[in-house]
Amino acid sequence: MSVEAAARRLRDSLSGTVRSNEPMARHTTYRIGGPAELFCTLDSVHDVATTLRILGEEGVPWSIVGKGSNLLVADGGYAGAVLVLGREFKRHAIEGDLLRAGAASVAAVLVQEAFGRGMAGLAWAVGIPGTLGGALAMNAGTRDGSVGATVDTVTLFSPEEGLLLVHGSDIEWGYRRSGLAGRGIILEAALRVSSGDPIQVRSAMERLLKERKGSQPLGMPSAGSVFMNPEGASAGRLIEAAGLKGLRRGGAMVSPQHANFIVNDGGATAADVAGLMRTIQTTVKARTGVELRPEIRLLGSFEES
Ligand code: FAD
């Protein structure tokens, strides 16, 4: 693998930027994460195709990232190229009942845009950070809805097959997972956002935001819920019942407000967060027999520490 050769070739070929040793703490809502060997902003489909070809030829692994709001990056960083989508993938337009948007569009902007045009279909998503691409990869959702249910089509770039248009009904949508993961880079999607009564939509959005503000530690860096809810149970309640609220490791803490959030209380490392995650998993398993599975995605190498 030759990262240097890949960097040289990418700098000569892309309209987007290519940085070396970019601290990932700048690109995650945790504000945690060591350097990515390469950090490339891909501004066009041409950039995407060229980058995947060059990285493939040079044997450099890659990972696509949105706003890093569901991501814990190792303190040692990522040995490969982190890719983010830029300019061409930030556009959106409403056509009839469809909201067509690039995968780098900020989810909150789309929610507001849909609401501003009297569309009801995304009200449930108010307050979810990140990009449309991240939301689709994760099938982001709440108890009131999930993005997969709104998808008409998704456009992907697959390293093997190039550009693909996939219908929402042909994609497997699960709890915090989608059949899109691992198939390539999501470039854009068309979402069905039916019209609704603006007063009702506004009051639903206000209620949901109020609930979030009341129950989540939004003033502190985090990646949202760390663990998925096990079948028929709440991860937060299991963690709270195990007496783990407020537990600290280094700069990381199990939020006293919401037990399924681990917050960065200042200077937390990825090892601090990962260590707390292991303590939570072993304690809850010993008490209840339930194995908590992470919702957040890990990037880089996490040796036991
Ligand atoms: P990232 O964190 O950057 O990436 C997440 C995953 O998506 C990674 O595996 C990445 O490889 C993949 N990915 C990103 N972009 C693409 C792309 N273009 N193509 C292919 N794969 C891609 N989530 C919920 O579901 N519901 C909630 O209510 C919720 N509340 C949250 C509250 C807070 C305060 C925070 C910090 C997070 C919350 N989250 C919630 C988690 C997170 O916001 C969502 O999962 C979000 O959709 C992730 O988007 P992102 O752009 O930040 O993705």
Side-chain angles (χ1 to χ4, degrees), residues 74-267:
D75 299 314
Y78 178 62
V82 166
L83 311 179
V84 295
L85 297 175
R87 207 175 47 224
E88 232 177 63
F89 306 104
K90 292 183 175 171
R91 301 182 184 144
H92 66 264
I94 292 192
E95 299 163 10
D97 265 6
L98 288 184
L99 170 61
R100 206 175 285 285
S105 305
V106 171
V109 170
L110 299 181
V111 170
Q112 285 308 321
E113 174 74 9
F115 167 64
R117 304 280 206 99
M119 310 301 225
L122 291 182
W124 57 269
V126 69
I128 300 184
T131 62
L132 176 61
L136 290 163
M138 295 298 306
N139 191 16
T142 66
R143 60 174 189 270
D144 297 302
S146 58
V147 72
T150 71
V151 170
D152 188 57
T153 55
V154 174
T155 308
L156 283 172
F157 194 94
S158 146
E160 296 81 24
E161 298 167 85
L163 273 179
L164 297 174
L165 183 77
V166 192
H167 288 274
S169 53
D170 293 332
I171 298 166
E172 203 193 314
W173 301 102
Y175 169 49
R176 296 303 163 270
R177 79 187 154 74
S178 79
L180 296 167
R183 285 189 69 181
I185 298 182
I186 300 163
L187 300 183
E188 69 162 48
L191 308 181
R192 288 183 298 267
V193 282
S194 53
S195 50
D197 173 4
I199 306 280
Q200 274 186 13
V201 178
R202 163 162 287 193
S203 59
M205 284 168 62
E206 281 174 359
R207 175 180 53 80
L208 292 170
L209 266 184
K210 200 168 158 208
E211 276 174 26
R212 259 182 203 279
K213 284 184 187 148
S215 64
Q216 299 181 355
L218 299 182
M220 300 178 94
S222 80
S225 292
V226 172
F227 297 103
M228 295 196 284
N229 289 324
E231 189 80 42
S234 146
R237 281 199 207 102
L238 291 173
I239 298 167
E240 182 171 357
L244 297 175
K245 265 189 169 177
L247 183 71
R248 286 176 178 275
R249 174 166 169 157
M253 175 174 63
V254 179
S255 166
Q257 196 179 348
H258 190 313
N260 200 16
F261 276 54
I262 295 177
V263 293
N264 178 355
D265 195 25

Side-chain angles (χ1 to χ4, degrees), residues 12-66:
D12 286 345
S13 316
L14 300 192
S15 55
T17 54
V18 179
R19 293 190 218 152
S20 295
N21 297 318
E22 174 72 5
M24 285 303 292
R26 290 187 191 151
H27 303 282
T28 62
T29 53
Y30 253 136
R31 298 189 203 141
I32 291 174
E37 280 188 303
L38 289 180
F39 185 91
C40 310
T41 305
L42 314 181
D43 276 341
S44 63
V45 176
H46 172 267
D47 276 5
V48 173
T50 306
T51 300
L52 296 194
R53 178 174 53 76
I54 291 175
L55 294 176
E57 287 166 2
E58 299 293 345
V60 177
W62 57 270
S63 184
I64 176 85
V65 164

